[in-house]
Amino acid sequence: MPNTRVLNSELRINGDRLWARLEELALIGATPAGGVHRLALSATDSRARDWFQGQAEQIGLVVSIDGIGNMFARREGTDARLLPVLLGSHLDSQPTGGRFDGPLGVLAALEAVETLNDHEVITPAPIEIVNWTNEEGARFPPAMMGSGVFSGRFSIEDAMASVDPDGITVADAIDEIGYRGPHPIGKHCLGAALELHIEQGPILEERGCDIGVVTGVQGTRWFDLTIRGEETHAGPTPMARRTDPVAVLGSALVSMYHRVEGEFLPDGRLTFGVISTKPASRNTVPGEVTLTVDIRHPRNDGLDALEACVKEEVAAACALRNAKWDLKTVWASVPIQFSDRCLSAISEAADGLGYSTLELMAGAGHDSVHTADVAPTGMIFVPCKNGVSHNESESITFEQAEAGANVLLHAALTLANPNDR
Ligand SMILES: [Zn+2]
């Protein structure tokens, strides 16, 4: 009999099988507008989890579930000394979410492993597929909960106590669907972790690029800014006699945007999402204006400079009008740089497959932010239509899904064969 074994470099995933699984999963929690409603730890999430476990067991994987409901489907390696290469993402969604944000990463991992099975390819390191619990944070804050508990960033007690808008805790919800598993948290070491995800932004599509090699995730700082002036009557008080915090804010905003556009592009981001005045009366010059500030940058020195820019311009505008201000830090996340070993495995895989690549930073948070705390981590992006996600109209093509899964397969093969290099 002729040897029909293909070389590892010639392996390709089965795009039809991947697409069929994506379509089948999208039926669980399907919305009329073509998206999905599959909130974390809901009955719908439970159905998606059961389905995933069934799919994994059908291809011979052993599924274990940890105390926060993270699911790990394992394919053994041949070298007992090696730690597993983890592939995956999340199956929960936003309330009116798309069908690819999360599922693409989990189902492409399943497809990659099934491709290895089809061709009887063995790997020294085990490969595990993960479905992280509550990536979206839409029902229970914070987002990326399961991976955060896994990495030790969040405590299991805090996570279990998180409450949804109906007053249901994570502990109640996870027990209701039976997904509090016995697998210990924090005793699960990884050799490497890879996550395939849709870009959720427009860059790859605009550049006509097949694959995004994600170098890291930008850092974020959140503040509450308060500017205090003097509350007074809108009619009798001459403009020159006012200490109007909205006027202060106006000039501060002009100079801040001017500097951000001059000094911080293309990487810096500055957003004021919520602005309110006190006492919020039509015919009173406000005594106070408060606003949320969101700054983002891929580097800590960039975040420092953006924060300094906000403070300098607010201070200068306040000084001109004799107003007072303070800026309170609410939350911060540091920029993440993904591992060079994972980035080169991804780049080489994409090059070998003939796909065009672009290095870029992730603008949104992902579970990989947390796995990067405990293991060499890398992310692969594929373009999505018009850069839209967290939206029922979110969409990718068959070819984009196939390309991402092939890159995932080959990058995983490299990382699961560490002695080949
Ligand atoms: Zn996602």
Side-chain angles (χ1 to χ4, degrees), residues 3-13 115-116 119-122 353 406 409-410 413 417 420:
N3 184 357
T4 54
R5 281 284 279 276
V6 298
L7 292 169
N8 276 4
S9 61
E10 289 167 1
L11 285 175
R12 296 294 180 272
I13 62 99
T115 302
L116 298 180
H119 297 277
E120 297 171 14
V121 176
I122 53 171
L353 291 155
N406 270 322
L409 165 68
H410 284 277
L413 264 176
N417 284 276
D420 278 6

Side-chain angles (χ1 to χ4, degrees), residues 349-373:
D351 291 346
L353 291 155
Y355 297 128
S356 58
T357 60
L358 182 73
E359 290 199 346
L360 75 177
M361 295 289 292
H366 291 286
D367 292 309
S368 292
V369 168
H370 291 148
T371 55
D373 282 349

Side-chain angles (χ1 to χ4, degrees), residues 175-404:
D175 289 338
E176 173 75 27
I177 65 167
Y179 267 92
R180 193 199 293 246
H183 189 69
I185 296 168
K187 299 214 168 62
H188 191 133
C189 295
L190 304 175
L194 293 176
E195 182 175 8
L196 168 65
H197 205 280
I198 60 169
E199 183 199 340
Q200 303 180 283
I203 297 170
L204 292 174
E205 188 177 65
E206 272 171 20
R207 306 268 182 98
C209 239
D210 303 316
I211 294 293
V213 181
V214 187
T215 54
V217 181
Q218 62 188 357
T220 303
R221 293 182 192 173
W222 284 356
F223 306 93
D224 284 339
L225 171 63
T226 305
I227 300 172
R228 291 187 188 83
E230 189 182 24
E231 208 173 294
T232 182
H233 199 296
T237 318
M239 295 301 280
R241 292 280 300 269
R242 299 179 182 193
T243 304
D244 181 348
V246 176
V248 172
L249 176 63
S251 45
L253 287 178
V254 169
S255 43
M256 278 189 276
Y257 280 115
H258 184 73
R259 281 187 57 189
V260 166
E261 283 160 14
E263 300 167 28
F264 292 95
L265 296 189
D267 292 329
R269 305 272 190 278
L270 173 66
T271 306
F272 305 97
V274 183
I275 302 180
S276 52
T277 60
K278 258 192 207 158
S281 160
R282 182 183 294 270
N283 54 355
T284 298
V285 176
E288 193 174 297
V289 57
T290 55
L291 56 161
T292 60
V293 186
D294 174 315
I295 60 174
R296 296 178 192 232
H297 201 281
R299 295 188 317 276
N300 272 319
D301 61 349
L303 287 168
D304 290 343
L306 263 171
E307 182 178 338
C309 163
V310 170
K311 287 176 173 167
E312 284 159 17
E313 297 309 328
V314 171
C318 282
L320 279 177
R321 291 179 189 261
N322 214 14
K324 302 261 183 297
W325 63 283
D326 70 62
L327 188 73
K328 200 172 71 200
T329 299
V330 175
W331 177 77
S333 77
V334 296
I336 303 285
Q337 297 293 326
F338 288 139
S339 117
D340 287 341
R341 186 157 68 91
C342 293
L343 293 190
S344 29
I346 294 166
S347 297
E348 284 166 24
D351 291 346
L353 291 155
Y355 297 128
S356 58
T357 60
L358 182 73
E359 290 199 346
L360 75 177
M361 295 289 292
H366 291 286
D367 292 309
S368 292
V369 168
H370 291 148
T371 55
D373 282 349
V374 292
T377 294
M379 279 194 87
I380 304 159
F381 276 172
V382 291
C384 55
K385 193 174 175 196
N386 299 325
V388 170
S389 81
H390 286 197
N391 189 311
E392 291 163 285
S393 69
E394 175 191 288
S395 137
I396 64 172
T397 65
F398 176 96
E399 289 74 20
Q400 287 164 338
E402 187 178 42

